[in-house]
Amino acid sequence: MHALSLRAASAVLALLFAVSASSQVQTEPTAATTAPPQAAVVDPLAEAIRERVDHLRYASEHDGTDHVVRGRRIVLTDIVARYYESQQFQPKWRDPARLDLLVAALADLEDDGLDPADYHIEALQSFRTDLRAAAALQPAEQADLEFLATDAMMLSLYHLYLGKVDPVQLSSQWNFSTRPVSVERGFERLSAALDSGQIRETFERARPQHVWYQRGREALRTYRAIAAAGGWSPISDGPTMKLGLDDPRVPVLRYRLTVTGDLAGDLQPPAPPLNLAFDAELEAAVKRFQERHGLTADGAVGPGTRAALNVPVSARIDQIRINLERARWVMHELHGEFVLVNVAGFDVSYFRDDEPIWTSKVIVGRPYRETPIFKSLITYVVLNPTWTIPPGILVKDKLPVIKRDPGYLKRNNIRVIDSAGREVNPHSVDWSRYSGSRLPPYQLRQDPGDDNALGLVKIMFPNPYLVYLHDTPSKSLFDKDERVFSSGCIRVEKAFELAELVLNDPVRWNRAALDAAIATKRTQTVNLARPVPVLILYWTAQPRPDGQVIFRNDVYGRDPATLAALNGTFRRP
């Protein structure tokens, strides 16, 4: 038996099918009576289902072939077989009304960015037609319907709750916890959901119960409607369009911005007489578009803004779908207070009650030194930190400089410390002896101060990547649109505000107290009274409360692999 597929699918069954007590059927005990023995009655449908179970088990364990019903492959063969064994091979899908509920729930998966075709919807619609045309299906046909419908429901709930794509296959850094398993309880809840007709409710509970996810589904509906209406036309190359200039491309620009709600007005394609003026209203709309796409909001349409405007609606739909999938990986756990870093968005936010209450720009790792995606707990803050140069940065960045100019260390307040903790004169070291294959037997530690690479505060959370949030002396880099300048750590523009939030002690550690501690120039560690979760994630599309969508470039090139897996054939782990 495929243990991993069983564990994953049963986790969904165990946790999703919450059914109200009113849906449970209660029976009164009856007095025991003695009846004469009777010959057992053979139920042809139960026998047909039992034969299908036997076939599934044999095919799965012996020849590895797929069980196919009306052209559709049963995916969760093990768990479906085990479910019908637990039900003594009794049918669940003889009522066309119940099948109607399932087909409607599967069709609704399109708003989740999933493809209803992955969940046998056309074959189920065919079965539904047959079921309505006849009083009952033949036992073999009904048994096929049982397996197809149950597989469709289990598989779709699996994907809503855990995601269709396995994030571990995309990144070895993924460390989000798996969810607990109770197979028997899951079977009970599935049966209760089917018996009570609570199929739509069960699907709804499987989705992340977070406002972000609901907004994402609404945004996907909006962009699919835009696509159905014809999308938008690209804006042709030419000089920068800006306030006060006439340009023949202005009517196309106006329509483009109206389609996505950045410019108020009627959705009418350009028609004579054409208004070629780039006015203040259009400039304000361009700024709104630029802000949503992480561009400098100068109101002018140059090459960068034009490139973002010309991304086709189909690509934007894919971005939303990709990030709804990412949401399914993590958003079941996103509640309460936490810090969320969006690497692709170059920002960090502090969340409370499902909404960000504070946001700051950040600088993340270069594409060849990516900031890893993981989660941890913020446990302490260091004021006036020292910086011990990590081995990777030492080899790649610092050793070449030191070999040319050992005086670089003194000028930058970097001390050389031996294994006994003693300071060593950098001019006494033969730096030419050391390289990536032979590291120097010293720590290089930068003193606290305004020029320290970590700035004046760092916010720490245990992780194997030597990554943390910190201040920086290089403030000018926050003015860039794409902020990929670090070696993996996360530089925070408003680091002191974040430190004050995570310390959450307005009496002892308000901003004035932090500034006073910094003024002493002494390194000081402040432990948090309550650790704060921190999630380092990667979002290239995010819905806003106003219905608009924030889009970001895929700076690490992670979207294509996620999209390919999302569009591909699902195979059990």
Side-chain angles (χ1 to χ4, degrees):
M1 182 175 293
H2 298 275
L4 285 176
S5 64
L6 176 61
R7 183 166 64 249
S10 57
V12 179
L13 294 172
L15 297 176
L16 298 186
F17 306 128
V19 181
S20 64
S22 62
S23 69
Q24 309 300 316
V25 178
Q26 302 293 329
T27 58
E28 295 294 330
T30 57
T33 59
T34 302
Q38 297 181 356
V41 177
V42 176
D43 181 348
L45 179 52
E47 284 300 309
I49 293 173
R50 195 266 309 154
E51 289 178 1
R52 291 294 187 277
V53 168
D54 289 347
H55 175 77
L56 282 178
R57 291 210 180 283
Y58 182 87
S60 175
E61 296 179 12
H62 294 280
D63 60 17
T65 59
D66 292 329
H67 185 80
V68 177
V69 175
R70 295 195 181 184
R72 298 300 304 173
R73 176 177 63 93
I74 302 299
V75 179
L76 299 175
T77 53
D78 303 323
I79 196 75
V80 172
R82 186 169 175 181
Y83 174 68
Y84 277 99
E85 287 174 335
S86 76
Q87 301 301 301
Q88 299 183 331
F89 311 109
Q90 293 303 302
K92 295 294 181 181
W93 298 99
R94 285 191 290 190
D95 182 359
R98 185 176 295 175
L99 201 54
D100 285 342
L101 293 173
L102 177 61
V103 169
L106 296 176
D108 198 38
L109 294 175
E110 194 167 46
D111 290 342
D112 296 278
L114 298 170
D115 185 355
D118 287 344
Y119 311 99
H120 323 318
I121 189 168
E122 291 185 2
L124 290 171
Q125 289 168 331
S126 171
F127 268 117
R128 183 176 58 177
T129 300
D130 294 348
L131 199 57
R132 285 175 174 158
L137 298 177
Q138 291 298 314
E141 282 285 285
Q142 182 66 42
D144 280 342
L145 169 59
E146 292 293 325
F147 278 66
L148 197 71
T150 300
D151 186 61
M153 185 164 177
M154 288 181 174
L155 185 61
S156 52
L157 292 170
Y158 177 149
H159 290 171
L160 282 177
Y161 194 60
L162 299 174
K164 178 182 177 182
V165 181
D166 182 1
V168 177
Q169 298 298 316
L170 299 178
S171 172
S172 61
Q173 300 160 346
W174 190 262
N175 71 341
F176 287 75
S177 302
T178 56
R179 299 181 183 105
V181 174
S182 173
V183 178
E184 290 74 16
R185 183 59 177 153
F187 286 161
E188 292 173 7
R189 290 179 173 176
L190 173 60
S191 294
L194 292 175
D195 294 343
S196 65
Q198 293 191 7
I199 292 175
R200 181 185 62 80
E201 294 83 355
T202 300
F203 273 72
E204 191 55 45
R205 282 190 290 268
R207 295 182 171 96
Q209 303 300 300
H210 195 287
V211 66
W212 189 107
Y213 191 81
Q214 182 56 40
R215 289 171 185 160
R217 296 184 80 234
E218 293 166 358
L220 183 55
R221 279 197 296 269
T222 297
Y223 273 76
R224 283 201 160 125
I226 291 172
W232 51 73
S233 299
I235 297 166
S236 57
D237 292 347
T240 297
M241 290 184 280
K242 58 185 177 181
L243 182 64
L245 298 180
D246 288 359
D247 194 294
R249 298 169 295 167
V250 162
V252 178
L253 175 62
R254 284 185 179 278
Y255 182 72
R256 167 67 181 85
L257 293 171
T258 303
V259 166
T260 49
D262 297 288
L263 178 64
D266 295 330
L267 275 175
Q268 297 296 329
L274 299 176
N275 178 6
L276 307 183
F278 195 113
D279 57 22
E281 180 186 41
L282 185 56
E283 181 188 51
V286 170
K287 288 181 178 179
R288 286 190 285 271
F289 177 88
Q290 290 169 328
E291 288 170 353
R292 288 199 300 114
H293 292 76
L295 303 167
T296 300
D298 58 8
V301 181
T305 299
R306 190 168 63 249
L309 287 162
N310 287 347
V311 172
V313 65
S314 59
R316 294 308 188 196
I317 288 171
D318 282 342
Q319 272 188 276
I320 297 171
R321 291 181 61 225
I322 289 164
N323 288 280
L324 281 169
E325 175 70 3
R326 289 173 176 149
R328 289 188 284 272
W329 299 341
V330 301
M331 279 198 168
H332 294 280
E333 285 81 26
L334 293 190
H335 300 290
E337 295 193 17
F338 57 91
V339 173
L340 192 153
V341 177
N342 178 15
V343 174
F346 313 113
D347 60 47
V348 57
S349 298
Y350 194 97
F351 277 75
R352 184 175 292 156
D353 298 327
D354 289 349
E355 297 285 1
I357 63 168
W358 171 92
T359 299
S360 172
K361 293 179 180 180
V362 300
I363 293 167
V364 299
R366 302 175 182 92
Y368 55 90
R369 295 185 192 173
E370 295 182 5
T371 296
I373 307 303
F374 66 101
K375 70 172 182 178
S376 185
L377 286 173
I378 298 172
T379 54
Y380 64 97
V381 171
V382 180
L383 307 175
N384 291 315
T386 60
W387 179 45
T388 300
I389 300 176
I393 296 176
L394 175 60
V395 170
K396 295 174 182 176
D397 297 344
K398 301 302 180 184
L399 267 180
V401 177
I402 297 167
K403 289 176 182 180
R404 293 193 304 267
D405 177 18
Y408 167 86
L409 296 171
K410 183 174 179 60
R411 291 195 305 275
N412 287 275
N413 300 312
I414 298 173
R415 301 175 186 271
V416 180
I417 309 296
D418 67 14
S419 58
R422 297 178 298 239
E423 185 173 355
V424 175
N425 185 338
H427 293 280
S428 69
V429 177
D430 182 4
W431 297 104
S432 65
R433 299 172 55 199
Y434 304 114
S435 63
S437 59
R438 186 186 182 189
L439 291 175
Y442 308 108
Q443 282 191 349
L444 273 63
R445 189 179 66 205
Q446 188 177 33
D447 291 339
D450 293 334
D451 61 347
N452 184 282
L454 306 184
L456 298 173
V457 60
K458 68 176 179 178
I459 299 166
M460 301 296 292
F461 39 95
N463 67 85
Y465 313 110
L466 302 178
V467 165
Y468 34 84
L469 296 150
H470 65 86
D471 186 26
T472 176
S474 305
K475 307 292 188 186
S476 62
L477 294 177
F478 289 111
D479 295 332
K480 304 292 184 180
D481 290 343
E482 289 198 352
R483 296 181 288 277
V484 283
F485 304 109
S486 85
S487 295
C489 279
I490 302 153
R491 308 176 194 172
V492 183
E493 184 177 37
K494 296 184 285 188
F496 278 93
E497 293 180 15
L498 180 57
E500 191 175 356
L501 279 166
V502 299
L503 287 170
N504 193 25
D505 188 346
V507 175
R508 291 193 300 168
W509 289 112
N510 53 42
R511 183 55 188 269
L514 289 171
D515 290 342
I518 293 297
T520 67
K521 301 188 181 300
R522 293 195 304 270
T523 300
Q524 182 175 357
T525 299
V526 185
N527 294 307
L528 273 62
R530 180 177 59 85
V532 176
V534 57
L535 299 97
I536 318 296
L537 299 175
Y538 191 88
W539 306 103
T540 53
Q542 294 189 82
R544 291 195 320 204
D546 63 1
Q548 284 286 18
V549 182
I550 297 169
F551 291 106
R552 292 293 184 264
N553 291 335
D554 180 18
V555 291
Y556 288 170
R558 297 189 173 201
D559 281 3
T562 306
L563 181 63
L566 189 58
N567 289 338
T569 300
F570 176 78
R571 292 284 176 181
R572 294 168 299 183

